[in-house]
Amino acid sequence: MANPKARVFVSNPTWPNHISILKYLGIETITYRYFDDETRAVDFDGMMADLQAVQPGDVVLLHGCCHNPTGANLNLVEWQAVIDLLNTHQALPMIDIAYQGFGDGLEEDAAATRLVASHVPECLIAASCSKNFGIYRERTGLLMAVSQDTGARGLNQDTLAFLNRQNYSFPPDHGARLVTMILNDPELRADWAAELEDVRLSMLDLRKSLADELQQVSGSDRFAFLAQHRGMFSRLGTTPDLVERLRAEHGIYMIGDSRMNIAGLNQQTIPILAKAIVDVGV
Amino acid sequence: MANPKARVFVSNPTWPNHISILKYLGIETITYRYFDDETRAVDFDGMMADLQAVQPGDVVLLHGCCHNPTGANLNLVEWQAVIDLLNTHQALPMIDIAYQGFGDGLEEDAAATRLVASHVPECLIAASCSKNFGIYRERTGLLMAVSQDTGARGLNQDTLAFLNRQNYSFPPDHGARLVTMILNDPELRADWAAELEDVRLSMLDLRKSLADELQQVSGSDRFAFLAQHRGMFSRLGTTPDLVERLRAEHGIYMIGDSRMNIAGLNQQTIPILAKAIVDVGV
């Protein structure tokens, strides 16, 4: 696993609490280029260039799917290139996968995580059931330490058990039991997968509607990225000034970095949002 | 609240995970005398002498009731003396109350915590529902920061919210809802209190039975302390050698420091345990 002086490389931007938690733990954080404000896609060349700085035992934090906050993701060819780089530099990938089933499908969203887990000597995977089971309030998920060295199993298990005991002693049971019950019952599992797929397709519809509406209003293709992004969030890629004008002139609120929650839209609000976005000059 | 360089004073012995957690957090721990292996009661003079070393902003960790692992507790006169000492030295009490309702009753077990909270400028109270609601696996409880200075409320609330966010983000909901439902419904609350009282009286019966049996078998009063102790645990106050002989010669298992779980006994096993204890020469 990581070396005791490990630095953690995080995408710029990443979920803000990643940085806050690492700071609280006294772990050095280094950002790597990720989102390109011009193309609204991943700045893959910049990312690879910045990851050249990783040293043996450093940790590279990656979003397994549905990057939060940008919505922009790597394709599998790019993932393989990242894996090769990490292996060359003997760095440890840690994957945060909080939105499995919200992007391209349950299996599709797990593909990158599986690719990493099967192509590196060791990795850490943090998976959450908060969103894809809708049980945010029951704190259900897991941290997996995967090692190709079966001899490391005992040590990793003991380390995780120790850290648990210093922290919350035991995880809460209720949410984990619900998830276990659903996943172990073919009928419940099929129901759940179908409902999750409805949620996913509905978010994709909203993305497509917003991109189409913006194309119509703006007469340009510059918002097509919204239909390419995956997950609940997209970063519009605009300035805090224009975010502020959306608020002041149109009563439309988003995070200062222009992150939008796509799932919060509907067919009635999309035309209003599209008009406002173009109106303020994004 | 505590000063940034606070040391935490803990009883000797205390719940082992107190020490483990403090060590993990890099906080200096200092033990104060507590259990007297001869009398099997609190060494109150030793405790007060050791607490003279507290400095302003140090934290003194106290068990609100049913001291774990010893079963030996302060009376309210002694609690008041501790409070006076802490106030004189401007130290911060932190009360861990994990067994309310397991000692002398729900109200009685809260008396010391209430005495502290109402007689010091500030205190911390960690309360658990794991035992008295039987929901160990749902991780239900709370940390209270009590301050007589109403101006400190915002700061304390923000600090606790920040620490939450760096740790588990939100507490799990299920257990807290069950407890809230029970406490807010007069009928459910009365049922719960009555069941808890049954549990408590049954443990007291076990204590009395074991003390009586040991008096008969040993022909002495030296085990009367077992009926004076409160909560699930008692420390027998014997050597690791005799604990080992109980295991090897009688198949009776207890922690090496001679902590016994009283709640694990019944009327069939008490005579067997009593005979074994006297047999090995405790």
Side-chain angles (χ1 to χ4, degrees):
Chain A
M1 293 283 154
N3 79 56
K5 301 259 175 200
R7 304 162 310 164
V8 176
F9 285 66
V10 300
S11 60
N12 180 17
T14 189
W15 184 49
N17 211 29
H18 283 153
I19 294 169
S20 180
I21 290 170
L22 289 164
K23 183 178 171 194
Y24 177 68
L25 294 173
I27 295 174
E28 186 184 351
T29 301
I30 297 179
T31 57
Y32 57 83
R33 274 173 280 173
Y34 187 81
F35 189 69
D36 182 332
D37 269 340
E38 288 303 312
T39 64
R40 274 82 160 183
V42 176
D43 174 7
F44 187 65
D45 291 341
M47 175 177 176
M48 290 297 279
D50 289 351
L51 288 181
Q52 294 291 337
V54 296
Q55 288 169 7
D58 279 342
V59 176
V60 177
L61 185 57
L62 300 155
H63 299 221
C65 67
C66 305
H67 186 273
N68 174 5
T70 69
N73 299 286
L74 303 182
N75 62 42
L76 286 178
V77 174
E78 293 167 331
W79 273 100
Q80 186 61 58
V82 171
I83 291 169
D84 293 342
L85 184 151
L86 298 185
N87 282 340
T88 302
H89 289 76
Q90 299 173 52
L92 178 74
M94 173 162 184
I95 300 181
D96 179 1
I97 179 161
Y99 294 95
Q100 191 186 350
F102 275 45
D104 293 310
L106 264 176
E107 297 301 317
E108 293 82 350
D109 289 349
T113 303
R114 289 179 176 141
L115 192 72
V116 172
S118 59
H119 284 78
V120 299
E122 293 188 312
C123 69
L124 293 169
I125 301 169
S128 170
C129 300
S130 289
K131 290 86 175 181
N132 54 16
F133 280 89
I135 50 171
Y136 216 104
R137 298 189 67 175
E138 299 305 338
R139 316 314 295 144
T140 304
L142 55 80
L143 176 67
M144 261 187 285
V146 184
S147 181
Q148 303 300 332
D149 171 12
T150 52
R153 184 195 162 92
L155 179 64
N156 290 339
Q157 188 64 49
D158 287 354
T159 302
L160 292 176
F162 169 77
L163 291 172
N164 262 14
R165 186 64 170 160
Q166 303 323 305
N167 191 318
Y168 47 69
S169 270
F170 303 92
D173 192 49
H174 184 65
R177 292 274 197 125
L178 293 178
V179 169
T180 302
M181 189 190 301
I182 291 167
L183 292 182
N184 285 329
D185 181 304
E187 202 169 323
L188 290 176
R189 186 180 183 130
D191 278 357
W192 165 73
E195 287 178 21
L196 181 56
E197 186 66 1
D198 284 348
V199 168
R200 185 180 78 82
L201 292 176
S202 142
M203 278 186 294
L204 280 186
D205 274 353
L206 293 170
R207 288 190 172 282
K208 192 165 179 319
S209 295
L210 181 59
D212 288 352
E213 187 76 24
L214 279 162
Q215 181 180 40
Q216 257 189 306
V217 179
S218 71
S220 98
D221 281 337
R222 70 180 190 273
F223 296 103
F225 68 89
L226 287 167
Q228 306 305 318
H229 285 177
R230 285 295 179 273
M232 285 174 66
F233 306 111
S234 270
R235 184 186 261 201
L236 201 51
T238 189
T239 61
D241 278 0
L242 293 187
V243 169
E244 171 58 23
R245 280 188 56 199
L246 281 168
R247 189 193 67 74
E249 296 171 20
H250 295 276
I252 289 169
Y253 294 75
M254 59 182 71
I255 311 284
D257 67 4
S258 72
R259 181 180 93 158
M260 298 189 296
N261 181 354
I262 299 294
L265 295 171
N266 60 47
Q267 298 301 340
Q268 281 69 53
T269 54
I270 281 175
I272 301 168
L273 175 62
K275 192 177 170 302
I277 286 174
V278 173
D279 190 65
V280 300
V282 174
Chain B
M1 292 286 159
N3 79 56
K5 302 259 175 198
R7 305 163 309 166
V8 176
F9 284 67
V10 300
S11 59
N12 181 15
T14 189
W15 185 50
N17 212 30
H18 283 152
I19 294 168
S20 181
I21 291 170
L22 289 164
K23 183 178 171 193
Y24 177 67
L25 294 174
I27 295 174
E28 186 183 353
T29 301
I30 297 178
T31 57
Y32 57 84
R33 275 173 280 174
Y34 188 79
F35 189 67
D36 183 331
D37 269 341
E38 288 302 313
T39 63
R40 275 83 162 182
V42 176
D43 174 7
F44 187 66
D45 291 342
M47 175 177 176
M48 291 296 279
D50 289 350
L51 288 182
Q52 294 293 335
V54 297
Q55 288 169 6
D58 279 343
V59 176
V60 177
L61 184 56
L62 300 155
H63 298 220
C65 66
C66 303
H67 185 273
N68 176 5
T70 70
N73 299 287
L74 303 182
N75 62 41
L76 286 178
V77 174
E78 292 168 331
W79 273 100
Q80 185 61 58
V82 170
I83 291 167
D84 293 342
L85 184 152
L86 297 185
N87 282 340
T88 302
H89 289 76
Q90 299 173 51
L92 178 73
M94 172 162 184
I95 300 181
D96 180 1
I97 181 161
Y99 294 95
Q100 190 186 351
F102 275 44
D104 293 311
L106 264 177
E107 297 300 317
E108 294 82 349
D109 289 349
T113 303
R114 289 179 175 143
L115 192 71
V116 172
S118 59
H119 283 79
V120 299
E122 294 188 312
C123 68
L124 294 169
I125 301 169
S128 170
C129 300
S130 289
K131 291 85 177 181
N132 54 17
F133 280 88
I135 49 171
Y136 216 104
R137 299 189 65 175
E138 299 306 337
R139 319 312 295 145
T140 305
L142 55 82
L143 176 67
M144 260 186 286
V146 184
S147 181
Q148 304 300 331
D149 171 12
T150 52
R153 183 196 163 94
L155 179 63
N156 290 338
Q157 188 65 49
D158 286 354
T159 302
L160 292 174
F162 169 77
L163 291 172
N164 262 15
R165 186 65 170 160
Q166 304 321 304
N167 191 319
Y168 47 69
S169 270
F170 302 93
D173 192 49
H174 184 64
R177 292 271 197 126
L178 294 177
V179 169
T180 302
M181 190 190 300
I182 291 167
L183 292 182
N184 285 330
D185 179 307
E187 203 169 323
L188 290 176
R189 185 179 184 132
D191 279 356
W192 164 74
E195 289 177 19
L196 181 58
E197 185 68 0
D198 284 348
V199 169
R200 185 180 78 81
L201 293 176
S202 142
M203 279 187 292
L204 280 185
D205 273 353
L206 292 170
R207 289 192 171 280
K208 192 165 179 318
S209 296
L210 180 59
D212 287 351
E213 187 75 23
L214 279 161
Q215 181 181 39
Q216 257 189 305
V217 180
S218 72
S220 97
D221 281 337
R222 68 180 189 275
F223 296 102
F225 69 89
L226 288 167
Q228 306 306 317
H229 284 178
R230 286 294 180 272
M232 286 174 66
F233 305 112
S234 269
R235 183 186 263 202
L236 201 50
T238 189
T239 62
D241 279 0
L242 293 186
V243 169
E244 172 57 24
R245 282 190 54 199
L246 281 168
R247 189 192 65 74
E249 297 171 21
H250 296 276
I252 288 169
Y253 294 76
M254 59 183 70
I255 310 284
D257 67 2
S258 72
R259 182 181 91 157
M260 300 188 297
N261 181 355
I262 299 293
L265 296 171
N266 60 47
Q267 296 301 339
Q268 281 70 53
T269 54
I270 281 174
I272 302 168
L273 175 63
K275 192 176 169 305
I277 286 174
V278 173
D279 190 65
V280 301
V282 173

